[in-house]
């Protein structure tokens, strides 16, 4: 039986053969899926291990462009911010466990390794240095701002992703999208955003 990592490797190779792909300086993998004429760009951001569960649930027809972004980090905000730069989306969806839409995050910060407290002064948060290669590292401030968004479609809700505020601060509507029933939830959003 194949492991999840080997499934992701194989699927990335398949995407690279059939679509325009790119790997950025953070190790994030991107695949641009082109739909029919019209519509905008939608970033679908996920952990690399989720790709095998997401691909079969993607719509066969949509308008605009869908960019699959595979996060090589542990859900850090710095690589997500860079993904927003590379994809330049009109909307962003962060795939999460659960079902439906993630519409809010209360804000939290990590003050010591593994010790999370509520959001108040983000300057007190732990700074995590992530070394990707000997010549490249980044500083991840372990403070994730609170955010709340109106529902774009009538779907079940769950707690949104911590990185959601990064998108909203840039004027990009950003939501969590549950892996369970992703196909139905994504179809509802595409209809609400007139992308199908």
């Amino acid at each position: 039986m194949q492991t999840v990592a080997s499934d992701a490797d194989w699927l990335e190779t398949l995407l690279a053969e059939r679509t325009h792909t790119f790997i950025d300086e953070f190790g994030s993998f991107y695949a641009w899926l082109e739909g029919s004429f019209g519509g905008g760009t939608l970033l679908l951001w996920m952990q690399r291990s989720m790709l095998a569960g997401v691909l079969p649930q993607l719509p066969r027809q949509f308008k605009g462009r869908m960019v699959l972004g595979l996060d090589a980090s542990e859900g850090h905000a710095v690589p997500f911010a860079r993904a927003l730069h590379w994809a330049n989306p009109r909307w962003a969806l962060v795939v999460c466990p659960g079902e439906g839409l993630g519409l809010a995050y209360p804000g939290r910060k990590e003050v010591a390794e593994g010790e999370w407290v509520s959001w108040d002064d983000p300057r007190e948060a732990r700074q995590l240095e992530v070394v990707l290669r000997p010549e490249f590292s980044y500083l991840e401030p372990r403070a994730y701002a609170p955010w709340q968004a109106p529902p774009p479609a009538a779907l079940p809700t769950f707690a949104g992703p911590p990185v959601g505020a990064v998108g909203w601060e840039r004027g990009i509507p950003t939501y969590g999208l549950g892996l369970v029933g992703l196909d139905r939830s994504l179809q509802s959003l595409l209809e609400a955003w007139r992308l199908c």
Side-chain angles (χ1 to χ4, degrees), residues 4 7-8 11 48-56:
V4 172
D7 284 346
L11 290 169
R48 187 172 185 265
S49 61
M50 292 181 166
L51 181 60
V54 169
L55 266 182

Side-chain angles (χ1 to χ4, degrees), residues 104-108 118-120 122 143-149 161-162 164-166 168-169:
Y105 182 76
R108 292 192 326 159
S118 63
W119 174 270
D120 52 7
Y144 303 98
W147 63 274
Q148 186 168 359
V166 175
W168 286 102
E169 288 166 0

Side-chain angles (χ1 to χ4, degrees), residues 122-146:
R123 294 173 298 181
E124 299 170 355
R126 176 175 170 242
Q127 301 287 319
L128 176 66
E129 183 180 10
V130 181
V131 179
L132 296 177
R133 299 176 296 281
E135 70 279 4
F136 184 78
S137 65
Y138 67 91
L139 196 59
E140 172 73 8
R142 302 290 280 167
Y144 303 98

Side-chain angles (χ1 to χ4, degrees), residues 1-2 21 31 41 45 56 64 88 95-96 100 108 129 134 143 154 178-179:
M1 183 172 160
Q2 290 182 320
T21 59
T41 299
W45 183 248
N88 192 25
V95 180
C96 306
R108 292 192 326 159
E129 183 180 10
L179 185 58

Side-chain angles (χ1 to χ4, degrees), residues 66-126:
M66 194 176 302
V67 180
L68 303 181
L70 305 185
D71 185 5
S73 77
E74 297 175 7
H76 293 167
V78 173
F80 180 64
R82 194 63 171 156
L84 296 174
H85 166 79
W86 288 120
N88 192 25
R90 171 68 182 89
W91 305 272
L93 296 172
V94 179
V95 180
C96 306
E99 182 177 7
L101 276 178
L103 297 177
Y105 182 76
R108 292 192 326 159
K109 65 182 179 185
E110 188 179 36
V111 291
E113 189 171 346
E115 184 183 346
W116 290 88
V117 297
S118 63
W119 174 270
D120 52 7
D121 186 353
R123 294 173 298 181
E124 299 170 355
R126 176 175 170 242

